[in-house]
Amino acid sequence: QIQLAESGGGLVQPGGSLRLSCAASGFSFSDYAMCWYRQAPGQERELVATISSTGGATVHAVSAKGRFTISRDDSLSTLYLQMNNLQPEDTAVYYCIGIGVLHGMDYWGPGTRVTVSS
């Protein structure tokens, strides 16, 4: 029973920071690449960042480069997304995804909502 449980979302002011967490269970976390997607209201889903099983990290969302950092703690089976200098356009539901963890298919968590507003 694979589970991905995102947490850490909430309401923050522009310029603030949040750290999202994704607690994983039901698979060998350290063997799999993970990623974060986000979906803003009325927008298409956007790949935010990926991290390989060995910790190689890439931020894909152009608007997030220089502000977001993806990381993982294999000892805790937890994926993180550190988000700094948040802007209103970062408002979205953020999803944690395990790449190929479900018999070769990706598995999505339920998401955590981030709202950036003053």
Side-chain angles (χ1 to χ4, degrees):
Q1 58 283 3
I2 294 172
Q3 289 192 335
L4 297 173
E6 301 100 335
S7 62
L11 175 64
V12 295
Q13 295 183 355
S17 297
L18 284 174
R19 188 177 74 162
L20 305 184
S21 298
C22 172
S25 61
F27 64 99
S28 182
F29 180 80
S30 63
D31 290 339
Y32 290 92
M34 305 288 292
C35 70
W36 291 96
Y37 266 79
R38 67 184 178 186
Q39 186 167 31
Q43 303 292 320
E44 299 291 334
R45 288 179 177 175
E46 178 185 29
L47 177 62
V48 179
T50 56
I51 188 165
S52 74
S53 62
T54 54
T58 304
V59 177
H60 298 275
V62 172
S63 66
K65 291 181 178 179
R67 300 187 297 119
F68 288 13
T69 303
I70 187 171
S71 62
R72 65 193 297 158
D73 187 337
D74 288 346
S75 70
L76 298 177
S77 295
T78 301
L79 176 73
Y80 302 99
L81 184 67
Q82 179 67 45
M83 306 186 295
N84 297 328
N85 191 24
L86 284 160
Q87 302 170 1
E89 54 263 40
D90 296 315
T91 295
V93 177
Y94 285 73
Y95 299 93
C96 169
I97 300 99
I99 306 301
V101 304
L102 182 60
H103 302 288
M105 301 182 68
D106 299 345
Y107 191 88
W108 290 59
T112 185
R113 183 164 185 83
V114 171
T115 302
V116 185
S117 176
S118 60

